[in-house]
Amino acid sequence: MQRKLGLTAVLVVALAVAGYAQKPDFSGVWTPEAPAAAAPAGGGGGGGGRGMGGGPMTVTQKGDTLSIERAMGDTKVSSTYKLDGTESVNKMMGRGGAEVESKSTAKWDGNKLTIVTKQAAPDGTVRESSQTWSLEGGNLVVESTRTGREGTPVTSKTTYKKTT
C-alpha cells in the first residue's frame, strides 16, 4: 500500500513539473532564410497573421505578451499578442490608407504557439488566418495558413535565423 502511495506521489510531482515546463522564448531579431522553393501563388505580406513580411522582425516576449515589430516599406508595423488565450486587437494601415483592425487569440500547444487572427474584408466577410511558431535547432519556424483566392487553405512555412 505504501509503495502504491509513493509511486502515486512521484507521478503527481512529475506531472506538476511538466505542467510548469518553460515555454520557448521567441525574443530576438529574426531574419528570414531564403526560401528553398518558390512561395505559393497569392502570398501576401502584412501583419495580423496574413504573412510575416519580407525582412527581419524584432520579437519581444515578456510574461504573457509577445510583441512583433517589422518594417513594411517605409512604415514600421507593430503587433502585440496576449499569450493567455484572451483576445488581442491590433490595428494597421490597409490599402488606401484606411485603418484595418484585426482580432487575435494566441495560445500554447506544448512548445508551439498558435496565433489565430480574424480580420474584416472589404466585402464584409471575415477572413481567418493562423500562425504556428516553434523553435527548431535554434531557428524560429512560422507556419502560416490563410484562405486563398479560391477559398482553399494556403499554407507556407518560413524559417528565421536569429541575428541578435
Side-chain angles (χ1 to χ4, degrees):
M1 179 68 173
Q2 282 185 327
R3 185 175 182 168
K4 281 186 181 181
L5 185 59
L7 288 174
T8 302
V10 168
L11 180 61
V12 167
V13 169
L15 290 174
V17 169
Y20 288 105
Q22 183 99 16
K23 302 293 183 203
D25 186 349
F26 298 116
S27 297
V29 176
W30 298 93
T31 303
E33 291 184 335
R50 295 187 314 141
M52 297 302 295
M57 65 179 169
T58 301
V59 178
T60 305
Q61 184 175 334
K62 291 183 182 175
D64 279 343
T65 303
L66 181 79
S67 298
I68 305 164
E69 186 175 287
R70 67 179 65 84
M72 298 289 203
D74 293 335
T75 305
K76 192 179 287 189
V77 178
S78 298
S79 302
T80 300
Y81 304 95
K82 300 173 193 172
L83 303 180
D84 61 3
T86 60
E87 187 175 79
S88 303
V89 177
N90 288 291
K91 296 178 182 181
M92 63 183 283
M93 297 306 282
R95 292 184 181 156
E99 187 174 74
V100 177
E101 180 178 274
S102 62
K103 295 180 180 181
S104 306
T105 55
K107 63 181 181 177
W108 292 101
D109 181 10
N111 285 334
K112 294 183 177 187
L113 177 67
T114 299
I115 303 169
V116 176
T117 300
K118 295 181 181 181
Q119 187 175 62
D123 64 3
T125 61
V126 176
R127 295 185 182 149
E128 184 174 297
S129 60
S130 68
Q131 296 179 353
T132 301
W133 289 41
S134 61
L135 292 178
E136 296 179 12
N139 293 326
L140 170 62
V141 177
V142 179
E143 187 168 323
S144 302
T145 303
R146 62 176 179 78
T147 304
R149 292 185 181 156
E150 290 79 39
T152 57
V154 176
T155 300
S156 62
K157 187 175 183 179
T158 306
T159 300
Y160 293 84
K161 288 208 174 279
K162 194 171 194 176
T163 54
T164 59

